[in-house]
Amino acid sequence: MILLADIQFTTLNSTTYCATASLSVISPLAEVKQTLADKKLKRQSQRAAVRLLLNQLLSELGLEDSLDESEFPYRLTNQRYYVCFSHSANQVAVVLSYHRAVGIDIEVNAIAWQVAKRYYHSSEIIILESLPIAQRDYLVKILWQIKESKIKIEQNKLATGLGIAYPAVIQKLIEMNHLENSFDLEKSNEWDGQNSFPYQVTFLQTQQTI
């Protein structure tokens, strides 16, 4: 049985809503070394949980509809609103947008610096290496979540999406200086020249979600 706890609903703007929750039947990844069977069961539980959370969000919004999973991005069957899911360990998230494809990423665990150096663009690594370790590690994780969300919107391959250079996004985050706080990062077509970032980014710190 799938049990959701600590459900939080957030209005991101007038047409975009998200929900996050804890999945009580799944232990955090760091606690135990899992077998392949355990991992398969966990993935199945997470898959069921995000769909249950979507139903909770639809109920909260007074909507009656079902999920069309026939192609990406996912949409509601009747009203055709856009839907995106994310999960990390025992945390799950869903976002619903009335007008355009939308991405969401919930991330419980830190992103190792060695992993970031493998995937991030060299221009981003240069900036991140110049920062104090605490700030660097914080921004590595935030940037990962931003890129993951953008990958889901544009349906890029993971390695390709993570490798796109957004040094000006990092600079914008540094300028904001919101270490460990929630923030809104407005969309911009000018930060990165050809690699513009035409999306609004919302970070919900207490929910570890972008």
Side-chain angles (χ1 to χ4, degrees):
M1 180 177 181
I2 302 299
L3 299 175
L4 297 178
D6 303 320
I7 299 175
Q8 297 186 59
F9 301 106
T10 304
T11 300
L12 301 177
N13 58 44
S14 60
T15 61
T16 311
Y17 307 87
C18 81
T20 60
S22 299
L23 179 54
S24 61
V25 297
I26 295 180
S27 298
L29 290 173
E31 286 189 4
V32 293
K33 183 177 181 181
Q34 297 178 326
T35 66
L36 290 177
D38 292 332
K39 292 179 180 179
K40 181 179 180 181
L41 177 60
K42 178 168 66 63
R43 286 193 299 269
Q44 291 173 341
S45 297
Q46 289 170 328
R47 187 177 187 277
V50 291
R51 285 154 179 78
L52 177 59
L53 185 59
L54 171 61
N55 290 335
Q56 296 280 352
L57 178 58
L58 293 178
S59 177
E60 177 73 11
L61 297 173
L63 300 174
E64 293 186 8
D65 214 324
S66 58
L67 181 65
D68 178 0
E69 302 180 60
S70 61
E71 61 181 351
F72 292 110
Y74 289 161
R75 303 182 76 169
L76 294 184
T77 301
N78 298 320
Q79 296 170 87
R80 306 308 294 165
Y81 298 156
Y82 293 90
V83 177
C84 186
F85 297 128
S86 182
H87 49 73
S88 177
N90 65 334
Q91 301 297 309
V92 291
V94 59
V95 63
L96 175 72
S97 174
Y98 290 3
H99 295 310
R100 63 172 299 172
V102 63
I104 192 168
D105 189 65
I106 188 168
E107 188 60 60
V108 173
N109 302 305
I111 304 300
W113 176 233
Q114 293 301 319
V115 174
K117 288 199 294 184
R118 176 182 176 187
Y119 289 104
Y120 288 0
H121 193 274
S122 57
S123 62
E124 298 172 323
I125 296 301
I126 290 172
I127 298 171
L128 292 166
E129 283 182 326
S130 69
L131 302 175
I133 292 177
Q135 185 180 24
R136 180 201 72 189
D137 290 347
Y138 168 76
L139 291 180
V140 161
K141 180 179 177 181
I142 296 301
L143 186 62
W144 186 281
Q145 291 184 264
I146 290 173
K147 291 189 176 197
E148 280 260 24
S149 297
K150 189 169 182 289
I151 287 167
K152 292 174 181 178
I153 294 171
E154 300 179 353
Q155 299 301 303
N156 288 326
K157 293 184 180 298
L158 181 64
T160 301
L162 291 174
I164 296 175
Y166 292 113
V169 172
I170 301 175
Q171 292 289 2
K172 201 76 174 179
L173 292 171
I174 293 172
E175 292 169 11
M176 293 172 68
N177 195 31
H178 283 322
L179 189 63
E180 301 300 336
N181 288 321
S182 299
F183 62 76
D184 281 292
L185 190 64
E186 295 299 325
K187 66 182 181 179
S188 173
N189 293 315
E190 302 176 355
W191 292 346
D192 293 293
Q194 292 183 344
N195 286 335
S196 61
F197 202 89
Y199 301 106
Q200 178 179 334
V201 178
T202 299
F203 175 47
L204 307 174
Q205 193 274 333
T206 58
Q207 295 157 265
Q208 303 184 78
T209 300
I210 283 184

